[in-house]
Amino acid sequence: MRKQLLLLTFALFCAFTMNAQEGERLKVITGVRVNPFVMYDFDGNKTEITRIHAELGAMFNNKTYLSVGYTPFANAIYNFNEYWFVGFDKKIPVSWVLAEEYMFDENKFIVQTGPNFKLGNVGNAFVFLFTPVDNIDWGLKVGVFIPLNVVLYKE
């Protein structure tokens, strides 16, 4: 299952990147995200968590965003890949996210996916399904991203 998820991630990354190369615009962005969320497992448990992530990413043609980051509290690295299928010219832009996270302290690899909704200039709201890759055990995350970013480069 782990290899299949990695292969799926790689295929989506390639598809997003090829699509992104058709566009004219590139934005390189860095900063932090404040990420409060509620995490549910399907045994009825819920946990309220807030994380801070440091991130470096690139937005291609206002459609595809690819980034890598670090979450200090969880001692985890991640990549965050999203495709905006409802564009920024709409009232509520919507993307689909596929993200992977490796937690060093727990030697655990997590994959998550779901919709992400842009809420004006404030941030994003999301609903993600997630599971550890080595032991499939689905859960649900509902929360927001509050970006504190700067654009390093734009063309």
Side-chain angles (χ1 to χ4, degrees), residues 87-132:
F88 292 101
D89 58 332
K90 304 299 182 195
K91 186 170 184 170
I92 301 177
V94 182
S95 70
W96 194 267
V97 171
L98 178 62
E100 299 82 27
E101 178 179 34
Y102 180 74
M103 304 167 78
F104 290 102
D105 295 343
E106 299 180 33
N107 191 25
K108 190 183 281 187
F109 189 71
I110 306 288
V111 66
Q112 57 188 342
T113 189
N116 181 37
F117 307 91
K118 179 106 177 116
L119 305 174
N121 293 326
V122 176
N124 301 22
F126 66 88
V127 179
F128 293 162
L129 287 171
F130 70 94
T131 182

Side-chain angles (χ1 to χ4, degrees), residues 17-138:
T17 303
M18 284 190 283
N19 182 38
Q21 291 173 348
E22 296 172 4
E24 309 89 25
R25 294 186 51 188
L26 167 67
K27 266 197 276 190
V28 178
I29 302 165
T30 192
V32 296
R33 292 181 186 208
V34 180
N35 179 210
F37 60 95
V38 178
M39 188 167 59
Y40 300 90
D41 65 25
F42 290 110
D43 297 323
N45 302 309
K46 62 182 174 184
T47 306
E48 189 175 280
I49 298 171
T50 297
R51 295 285 189 258
I52 296 174
H53 314 281
E55 188 170 293
L56 175 65
M59 172 73 87
F60 300 93
N61 198 26
N62 278 337
K63 287 284 188 188
T64 304
Y65 181 70
L66 309 172
S67 68
V68 294
Y70 180 71
T71 307
F73 185 84
N75 191 21
I77 58 170
Y78 65 89
N79 72 28
F80 189 90
N81 311 294
E82 67 182 325
Y83 182 75
W84 292 91
F85 60 93
V86 176
F88 292 101
D89 58 332
K90 304 299 182 195
K91 186 170 184 170
I92 301 177
V94 182
S95 70
W96 194 267
V97 171
L98 178 62
E100 299 82 27
E101 178 179 34
Y102 180 74
M103 304 167 78
F104 290 102
D105 295 343
E106 299 180 33
N107 191 25
K108 190 183 281 187
F109 189 71
I110 306 288
V111 66
Q112 57 188 342
T113 189
N116 181 37
F117 307 91
K118 179 106 177 116
L119 305 174
N121 293 326
V122 176
N124 301 22
F126 66 88
V127 179
F128 293 162
L129 287 171
F130 70 94
T131 182
V133 173
D134 60 345
N135 180 20
I136 302 300
D137 185 20
W138 292 101

